[in-house]
Amino acid sequence: MHLLAIVNNKGGVGKTTSAVNLGAAFAEIGQATLLVDLDPAASASVHLGLDKSRGEHQTLCDYLLSEKRRLADYIYPTTFDNLWCVPSEPALSEFYEEMMQEEDMDFFLHQKDFPNKFDIVIMDSPPNMGNLAYNALAIAQHVLIPVQTQYLAMTGLELTLNTVNKVQRHLNPKLNILGFFGTHYDRRTNVAKEVLQKLREKFGTMVFDTVIGINSKLIEAYGAQKPILSYASSARGAREYRALAREVLQRLGQK
Ligand SMILES: Nc1ncnc2c1ncn2[C@@H]1O[C@H](COP(=O)(O)OP(=O)(O)OP(=O)(O)O)[C@@H](O)[C@H]1O
Ligand SMILES: [Mg+2]
């Protein structure tokens, strides 16, 4: 089982879009994939049709409040074959903080909690390096970092890398940065090209060849509560996430 955390301290860079669509791309090629939504904003859950306001399912918050804490009870199938999700909800942040203080615990999710039928577990994280992101990094084997190819992309990245570094030193020495990838790439603008070039100068081959371009079908797919791979299977965004998934699997195979 591979455990991947998608992190970037900066908001709106494409973490959730990548978690959902990479997850679907893994699932499509036969990898049983579990997306764990560690963001109280619950965007990945909503993207996959698991919207708490409909009240038809339980979330990580219920898991936290339960006595048995059996994660398997909180794993839901999605409309996409081979892709499952542990949903989140807004109350997660406050409950998590409370429980941590009351029970004097560090983390509420551990690798052993994931049923071993899964080939890949992807954790989506919030746009801050708080305790929920720490939990993802503490148990992950690999980190994927989406970088929005726009101004200030590199500034936000520094804080993210400092946090990953801190986790590697103190909590999870085996944590490995699997790679960076450009998102929201607008081929018509110079800034997109410049940011990508800077990223490649700084991180070399750690930057994936695949770049995720701006694609409105990705936004529509979110609205339709489906991965782009089923919403608009031949759209550019779908093809790019498939290509990224192949690259990620290739790197995982080399580890
Ligand atoms: N390649 C893309 N082309 C066009 N729109 C995109 C693309 N990727 C993401 N978006 C849109 O940009 C917005 C932010 O993306 P997303 O929610 O994936 O980012 P995030 O990093 O998870 O944000 P947050 O930090 O708030 O959790 C969303 O509305 C999403 O639909
Ligand atoms: Mg998000």
Side-chain angles (χ1 to χ4, degrees):
M1 184 193 291
H2 299 292
L3 263 74
L4 313 175
I6 301 195
V7 298
N8 190 329
N9 178 65
K10 197 166 184 298
V13 300
K15 292 182 287 295
T16 300
T17 305
S18 301
V20 167
N21 294 304
L22 257 186
F26 291 140
E28 194 180 63
I29 46 181
Q31 304 283 314
T33 303
L34 175 64
L35 191 158
V36 182
D37 189 355
L38 279 167
D39 185 358
S43 320
S45 314
V46 174
H47 199 332
L48 289 169
L50 294 163
D51 186 343
K52 178 72 179 179
S53 62
R54 293 206 200 134
E56 289 156 7
H57 62 269
Q58 295 195 303
T59 68
L60 264 181
C61 201
D62 301 297
Y63 162 77
L64 197 54
L65 293 169
S66 67
E67 249 170 50
K68 284 197 225 142
R69 295 229 175 113
R70 233 177 66 90
L71 194 71
D73 296 341
Y74 302 85
I75 294 175
Y76 294 87
T78 69
T79 57
F80 201 92
D81 219 21
N82 228 3
L83 177 62
W84 283 263
C85 177
V86 178
S88 180
E89 66 172 302
L92 179 63
S93 46
E94 55 190 283
F95 275 113
Y96 184 39
E97 298 297 334
E98 263 177 43
M99 302 294 272
M100 284 195 32
Q101 281 166 11
E102 272 172 29
E103 294 185 21
D104 193 26
M105 67 177 180
D106 290 333
F107 302 115
F108 72 115
L109 268 185
H110 303 90
Q111 181 167 1
K112 63 175 173 33
D113 296 325
F114 303 120
N116 51 24
K117 73 168 182 176
F118 292 107
D119 300 305
I120 300 185
V121 175
I122 302 181
M123 292 172 274
D124 188 20
S125 62
N128 60 63
M129 287 296 152
N131 288 325
L132 289 158
Y134 263 96
N135 198 157
L137 291 171
I139 62 173
Q141 297 152 336
H142 305 282
V143 185
L144 284 172
I145 306 182
V147 180
Q148 191 172 6
T149 49
Q150 275 170 21
Y151 287 117
L152 299 178
M154 303 303 264
T155 325
L157 206 51
E158 219 159 285
L159 187 58
T160 308
L161 291 174
N162 285 345
T163 306
V164 171
N165 210 270
K166 216 190 292 176
V167 171
Q168 284 168 327
R169 273 183 283 129
H170 300 292
L171 286 171
N172 184 359
K174 288 193 183 147
L175 184 66
N176 158 57
I177 298 182
L178 196 66
F180 303 82
F181 57 97
T183 62
H184 289 87
Y185 187 75
D186 185 345
R187 286 160 182 82
R188 297 161 307 178
T189 64
N190 285 333
V191 60
K193 288 183 198 125
E194 280 164 24
V195 172
L196 199 61
Q197 195 185 338
K198 269 199 194 130
L199 204 62
R200 294 215 154 107
E201 276 164 20
K202 194 157 183 199
F203 299 108
T205 54
M206 288 188 78
V207 182
F208 288 98
D209 292 337
T210 308
V211 177
I212 308 297
I214 290 263
N215 188 302
S216 58
K217 290 276 184 243
L218 285 164
I219 304 170
E220 286 175 29
Y222 181 95
Q225 299 193 312
K226 283 177 181 173
I228 192 170
L229 280 81
S230 52
Y231 175 76
S233 178
S234 55
R236 188 172 197 148
R239 286 186 274 124
E240 287 169 348
Y241 274 110
R242 284 190 187 101
L244 183 61
R246 282 194 298 272
E247 269 197 86
V248 169
L249 284 176
Q250 207 173 6
R251 286 195 191 184
L252 288 175
Q254 288 162 0
K255 296 284 164 194

